[in-house]
Amino acid sequence: MNILVFIKQVADPEARILIKSDNKSLEIENKFNLNFFDEFAVEEAIRLKGKIKETKITVCTYGGKKAIEALRTAIAMGADQAYLIDNTDLDTEDPLITAKILAGFAKKEGFDLILCGRQAIDDENGNIGVMVAEFLKIPHVSAITKLDVVDEKKMLVENDIEGGRETKEVMLPALFTTQKGINEPRVPLITGVMKAMKANIPVIDPTTLGLAKEVIDKNASKIRIISYETPKGRPPVRVIEGETPEEKVKKLIQLLREEAKVL
Amino acid sequence: MSKDIFIFIECKDGSIRKSSFELLSKGREFAEKLSSTLYAIVLGSGIQDITEGVKPFADKVLSMDMEALKDYRWDTFTDALGYLIKKYNPSLVFGASTITGKDLFPRLAARLEAPIVSDAVGIELQEDGIKIKKPIYGGRIISWVSTQNAPTSLITFRPNSFSIEKKQGIGELIEEKADLQMDSRINVIKVDRGTSKKVDLQEADVIICGGRGMKGPENFRLLEDIAEILGGRVGASRAVVDSKWRDYEDQVGKSGKTVSPKLYIGCGVSGALHHTMGMDTSKVIVAINKDPNALIFQYADYGIVDDLFNILPVLKKGLESLKQEA
């Protein structure tokens, strides 16, 4: 079975982020990780490999040269092969473009199953996985919390729906996005890290994936960044003084009613 | 070119979701400024009550009442909403960034090759078009974005982004039908509604959130009681969920849910960046923690420095008597 895992390298949640003077670009401290939700996708692929014979796990990202580090993390965990589709000078804010490129890669590479995290923790969009499925005309299930193999052509998955949980049987090829709770992603072993350091990661030119340059370049973007700003900070906290819990609570309720008007 | 606005209406347990009314209210404001038509889109089966319910909020109600739309599925809903968008050519389609919205809108955007902005918290009208407000990097940066090169734009908004305004509309009902394809490659085997909680965490007006300071799962009863008095929901920090004191669906934070209730009360929550990223857009934040140096106080409007086990029972009593007065 061929499993594709699409990943993204994202800024560490604690990385310093500054808005550049043009107000339209960001300067991010050099602290990047494999996206939190993508770790679940890589882990689930490795688990499937343990259950289905002759399974190959291919990870791929559309990113800058730096993103090779995140691909190496996936190999260190246990993926077999990685590809970087190089977005130098083409990086885009439009998920339609990224999804088209990844779908183009999937078509070229061939696959039975595609996994990816339910969303990236940087742009917090959560569009790419579902869009790739639509471009490939395959079924998808969002934010799965459980995956079982029925046979090589069929999977049983669980995900949350409004007000409950659903179990679905899905024919492959299909795409699933992974949610926290599906597994506990492993920490790579030193042998894995050694293997990843030596792994050959081919760099792919996105224009070789059957898409014309005009479809993927910056002019094709349907999303335009107007500006970035930092959120307005809150005034300093008002600590409520009082001798007893009763006094403090009384004052709090009064403030929430009369000042904040939320009770 | 059309300037019309579509609002995708969502229901839960047979009633219209609060977030749908929020979107209708914002849509109304835009429709007036643009002199365009506001459409409420109701998809489902046996949906007369829902179409009646949205009439006062919209100019027109497009209803597609079909057996194939009984339960949400991306296949039939993408077909149905895609059909209506092609037929009516709205310039804007608003949805909520709920489980359904996050599943349906990207699929639809890819189908229509329409630009999408997800999990937005605001939208403004400018001379040269729209300006959409969207937090990124866990709310540490606000991005303002616009869409271009396309007749229709899709936008999902975080629940609690807009206030609900009651307007007397006429809501002319238009019944539609379409050819809907149920994807035979997906077969729903089981639906478990038992895990459902009364108030959706992201839609809750009040969230009372417990951290590790709650000391154990049994003490969350204190929070449940207060949440019930206030008609709110109990949330939990990552540490609490990782310790299996509460379910993942309760988790507020970067890897959990992003919430912006009118009132957030953090109890024994330290305020790690991971957590504050998921709640710092709340309108009013109260922190209760015995450690005066807890980070949560940097995000709070009001703080009580005390043992939460001294405070919560008193708070419960105080809120109870407040409720009785009202």
Side-chain angles (χ1 to χ4, degrees):
Chain A
M1 171 180 282
N2 282 323
I3 304 176
L4 291 186
V5 184
F6 289 134
I7 62 150
K8 185 177 187 184
Q9 185 186 47
V10 296
D12 184 285
E14 313 247 331
R16 240 177 317 112
I17 300 172
L18 297 171
I19 298 169
K20 289 188 189 168
S21 54
D22 65 354
N23 284 335
K24 285 186 179 189
S25 47
L26 301 172
E27 192 178 306
I28 298 165
E29 186 188 359
N30 193 6
K31 270 182 167 172
F32 290 90
N33 298 324
L34 173 58
N35 176 41
F36 177 81
F37 291 103
D38 297 343
E39 286 184 11
F40 299 108
V42 175
E43 177 64 34
E44 201 58 24
I46 298 165
R47 289 180 186 211
L48 282 173
K49 189 176 166 143
K51 291 181 200 164
I52 305 169
K53 270 183 244 161
E54 287 170 46
T55 292
K56 185 185 175 200
I57 304 169
T58 305
V59 287
C60 176
T61 189
Y62 182 48
K65 294 266 184 347
K66 219 185 141 30
I68 281 190
E69 295 162 12
L71 292 169
R72 286 200 200 280
T73 305
I75 290 183
M77 287 172 75
D80 298 298
Q81 174 72 57
Y83 292 96
L84 171 74
I85 308 172
D86 187 2
N87 77 353
T88 306
D89 299 329
L90 289 170
D91 60 315
T92 178
E93 300 294 336
D94 188 345
L96 285 168
I97 294 176
T98 305
K100 268 182 205 169
I101 287 167
L102 295 176
F105 173 82
K107 269 185 210 155
K108 202 172 171 188
E109 183 70 17
F111 63 92
D112 300 294
L113 174 65
I114 302 177
L115 297 172
C116 62
R118 75 161 162 94
Q119 73 172 62
I121 62 165
D122 53 2
D123 60 32
E124 302 182 50
N125 277 328
N127 291 321
I128 301 295
V130 178
M131 286 181 157
V132 168
E134 173 64 22
F135 286 133
L136 293 170
K137 300 276 172 259
I138 57 170
H140 81 266
V141 181
S142 293
I144 61 166
T145 48
K146 197 164 185 238
L147 190 160
D148 283 315
V149 179
V150 178
D151 57 48
E152 286 194 24
K153 294 268 169 240
K154 213 186 271 176
M155 301 268 165
L156 201 61
V157 296
E158 261 182 44
N159 73 337
D160 283 358
I161 55 164
E162 300 296 348
R165 187 162 293 170
E166 209 165 64
T167 309
K168 304 175 184 80
E169 209 171 56
V170 186
M171 298 291 290
L172 301 186
L175 181 147
F176 305 136
T177 72
T178 49
Q179 169 73 310
K180 182 177 171 175
I182 186 170
N183 56 41
E184 294 285 337
R186 69 195 63 196
V187 177
L189 299 172
I190 189 75
T191 46
V193 176
M194 300 287 281
K195 186 184 151 210
M197 277 164 66
K198 281 183 274 178
N200 172 38
I201 299 181
V203 177
I204 298 173
D205 175 350
T207 57
T208 64
L209 297 172
L211 297 159
K213 186 110 198 289
E214 309 84 79
V215 178
I216 59 173
D217 70 10
K218 287 189 187 284
N219 293 328
S221 179
K222 291 179 176 171
I223 300 290
R224 183 170 60 92
I225 300 291
I226 300 170
S227 62
Y228 293 115
E229 63 187 42
T230 44
K232 287 180 201 82
R234 264 170 221 275
V237 60
R238 169 118 57 111
V239 175
I240 296 165
E241 306 291 344
E243 291 296 316
T244 62
E246 283 75 12
E247 254 182 67
K248 291 178 187 175
V249 167
K250 197 177 163 199
K251 277 188 200 163
L252 175 68
I253 291 179
Q254 194 180 3
L255 285 166
L256 291 178
R257 284 192 76 181
E258 289 161 19
E259 190 179 83
K261 298 191 166 55
V262 287
L263 287 183
Chain B
M1 206 178 71
S2 148
K3 288 177 179 171
D4 295 344
I5 301 168
F6 267 25
I7 310 291
F8 173 66
I9 303 299
E10 273 190 65
C11 307
K12 196 179 176 187
D13 304 327
S15 26
I16 303 159
R17 295 186 76 142
K18 189 177 134 221
S19 50
S20 295
F21 286 118
E22 292 166 13
L23 298 176
L24 284 164
S25 303
K26 195 68 190 176
R28 161 62 60 214
E29 178 196 320
F30 265 55
E32 273 167 19
K33 284 183 189 158
L34 292 165
S35 316
S36 63
T37 306
L38 180 67
Y39 289 88
I41 314 300
V42 186
L43 310 178
S45 174
I47 46 176
Q48 295 83 349
D49 291 354
I50 307 298
T51 51
E52 283 304 314
V54 293
K55 270 184 183 173
F57 290 85
D59 298 318
K60 291 181 181 176
V61 180
L62 292 183
S63 123
M64 208 182 269
D65 195 340
M66 295 175 72
E67 180 61 25
L69 297 169
K70 187 167 170 282
D71 294 310
Y72 168 75
R73 294 173 55 111
W74 60 259
D75 46 10
T76 50
F77 273 64
T78 306
D79 283 353
L81 191 48
Y83 168 83
L84 294 174
I85 290 171
K86 279 187 187 150
K87 183 166 174 180
Y88 289 86
N89 279 310
S91 65
L92 294 169
V93 181
F94 290 177
S97 60
T98 52
I99 293 176
T100 298
K102 285 177 182 173
D103 191 59
L104 171 64
F105 274 63
R107 190 98 201 184
L108 189 63
R111 173 103 30 115
L112 302 170
E113 300 239 0
I116 181 168
V117 179
S118 309
D119 213 23
V121 296
I123 182 165
E124 288 175 11
L125 199 57
Q126 300 206 303
E127 272 173 33
D128 55 345
I130 52 165
K131 194 174 152 182
I132 304 155
K133 184 182 185 183
K134 176 183 158 52
I136 53 174
Y137 293 95
R140 288 193 293 158
I141 303 283
I142 302 294
S143 66
W144 287 95
V145 301
S146 185
T147 57
Q148 59 189 16
N149 302 334
T152 301
S153 301
L154 311 185
I155 308 165
T156 62
F157 291 96
R158 198 175 283 177
N160 282 339
S161 291
F162 308 119
S163 51
I164 298 172
E165 273 148 56
K166 218 166 176 84
K167 289 276 159 100
Q168 286 299 313
I170 26 159
E172 178 201 344
L173 181 67
I174 304 170
E175 292 186 45
E176 289 280 356
K177 288 270 183 289
D179 185 21
L180 309 176
Q181 292 298 323
M182 213 176 257
D183 195 319
S184 59
R185 295 169 294 182
I186 294 195
N187 195 2
V188 177
I189 305 282
K190 199 176 97 186
V191 181
D192 176 12
R193 303 230 173 246
T195 58
S196 169
K197 302 221 167 139
K198 258 195 223 151
V199 186
D200 184 278
L201 188 63
Q202 284 179 292
E203 286 191 342
D205 280 332
V206 179
I207 293 176
I208 180 157
C209 198
R212 212 196 279 284
M214 293 302 295
K215 292 197 173 138
E218 64 284 359
N219 296 325
F220 276 76
R221 185 74 246 163
L222 288 164
L223 305 187
E224 292 286 359
D225 289 347
I226 293 170
E228 203 180 312
I229 298 167
L230 296 173
R233 252 294 291 268
V234 173
S237 71
R238 180 171 68 179
V240 161
V241 172
D242 286 351
S243 308
K244 309 232 184 293
W245 297 354
R246 300 291 292 185
D247 290 337
Y248 175 55
E249 65 164 325
D250 290 349
Q251 187 178 322
V252 171
K254 184 94 183 160
S255 58
K257 293 198 171 86
T258 307
V259 299
S260 41
K262 288 198 183 86
L263 173 61
Y264 165 99
I265 307 173
C267 306
V269 175
S270 65
L273 189 61
H274 175 282
H275 183 74
T276 54
M277 279 177 168
M279 48 62 87
D280 66 354
T281 52
S282 305
K283 315 286 176 296
V284 176
I285 297 175
V286 176
I288 304 170
N289 203 307
K290 64 180 173 193
D291 175 7
N293 298 317
L295 282 169
I296 187 83
F297 288 117
Q298 293 180 14
Y299 297 87
D301 298 290
Y302 304 106
I304 291 184
V305 181
D306 206 327
D307 187 337
L308 63 91
F309 294 103
N310 293 334
I311 297 293
L312 290 178
V314 183
L315 183 61
K316 182 187 158 189
K317 250 192 225 155
L319 292 170
E320 261 170 355
S321 48
L322 192 69
K323 201 180 168 188
Q324 277 159 7
E325 280 169 34

